[in-house]
Amino acid sequence: MTLTLFNRSRPRADVPTVVDEQRPDSEAPVDGRSLDEKAPSTSSVDQSSEDEAQDGVRQIEAVTAVWTKTTLIIVYALILLIYFIDSMQQAMTNSLTPFVTSSFGKHSLLGVTSIVSSIVGGLVKLPLAKVLDIWGRPQGYLAMVVCLTIGLIMMAACNNVKTYAAAQVFYWVGYNGLTYTLGIFIADTSKLRNRAFMFAYASSPYLATTWIGGPLATAIMKGPGFRWGFGIFAIITPAVTLPLYFIFLFNQRKAEKLNVGPKKSSGRTTMESIYHYSVEFDVVGLFLITVGLALFLLPFSLYSYQKDGWRSGMIIAMIIIGGLLLIGFAIWERYFAIKTFIPYKLLTDRTLLGACILAGSIFISFYCWNAFFYSFLMVVNGLTVTEASYVSNTYTMGSCLWALVVGVFIRYTGRFKWLALYFGVPLTILGVGLMIHFRQPDTNIGYVVMCQIFIALAGGTLVICEQIAAMAATSHQYVAVVLALESMFSSIGGAIGATVATAIWTSTFPQQLVKHLPAGTDPLEVYGSIVVQLSYPPGTPERIAINRAYGYAQKCQCIAATAVLAVSLGAVMMWRDLKVTDRPQVKGVVI
């Protein structure tokens, strides 16, 4: 199927010339000026973009100029294989983690470590974007493979909580960085009109691996044990990922021999190189946004570990300092940066801004309605662990499958705004809104599954459309940065959504238990353990009371999730109606 996506009118790939399509003046990308401003001429826009492109971008353009279609096909086959192994390993890791942590007991550091490692893993995309743009895609990719492999080795060998904590940081930095870099590879080697389908193609392994993780973890625990579970993937991961690195490196060297791309020698002294890369990386801006986000996001997860909660001096200080650093980032980028992390006009571009707001709002909504959903299915609907996992995986299966359809639609129509505005957002509101009514005791599970299907179809649409909107707003030079920015808004949305969901749960569920449980039943004991909740047989007064408490809490969470989606509607309305079929963005032999 992928072969039909190639443009067969391309010149021969072995000719060492960069092939670029002409771009209409009216739809020039943002490269320091607004899209609404008319470029002086097509050639000057292309020349300006080429002159401004950093070495990593020019290197990958040189690679796509000299490689063949056969190489391109092999690259995409490897990317699919890497995603398959990576997603299977992630599913297995989620299942094995409780066995790893159980040997450490209820150590308070474990919860904090999980939170910190996940946030660090999410924020690594910001500096990684600059590494990919300045030093090169293969270099950043190799660094992430090394981090992921080290994390797996450390998890296989850890005997204490400190080693496990360090392993988690390496693992999540490597895992998130690797998947992000693969996404950039896809953006580098695909036309904008085909990119939605190729992104969906890359996520398609989840259709299989979603069901593999549990049985694989069970087989490993019954066999060699969890240490070999991580050890096996510590061997498989580099074996599967390194061939892609060598293909890009080989073609990069080939381009250098043909004098295509940037010059290898700069002629700078050591001090000149330090100053040069400090400017290119926008070290001050990168520090402000990365540290600012870390300080701002950590309190949303760490407040529960503080005796005074949100009133804790540390929590308040982190939020204030983090917020000030983020404000400082905006001021620095606007007035002082010699070379900005991202052009200020692009930062305020309504299509990119709308895509980022959409990413944040749908993540807030998702975390609101998805919190405690698995427990709800088991306690209120009486599903087994396996049955509950089938229902909760409906979103993953449906969104990944439907994303392929969305990719084909965008490929042939060139439009994405109206698909998100008239289908994606309304269907999300419908699915989440219906859950307000159907997530109640004595409701047939079929209605819950129906809502999940609606949300899955809408999610597969919106995630693809928001990424295409972000990339369509800019030139190839800033694709890595805008995808990192979009991911940053997703992280912020996820942190806020999880906090809102937890706040609703802790303020409603215990009170409802106190209100409805029969006298003599300890509400605190019921509140703190799903095992205790399931110990009361269905139909007993205690189980009925628990179900009513779940229904009320879930209703409040779904109301909050639905209300947030009004922001999503406004975010999509901000987008310009860009047609991706008229917006060439990459050069060379691409898909």
Side-chain angles (χ1 to χ4, degrees), residues 378-379 525-526 528-536 543 550:
M378 295 178 63
V379 176
E525 184 183 16
V526 174
S529 173
I530 190 174
V531 176
V532 175
Q533 296 166 14
L534 292 172
S535 66
Y536 297 104
R543 188 65 171 266
Y550 261 101

Side-chain angles (χ1 to χ4, degrees), residues 61-73:
E61 289 178 346
V63 167
T64 57
V66 301
W67 69 6
T68 63
K69 281 188 176 180
T70 301
T71 304
L72 183 61
I73 295 171

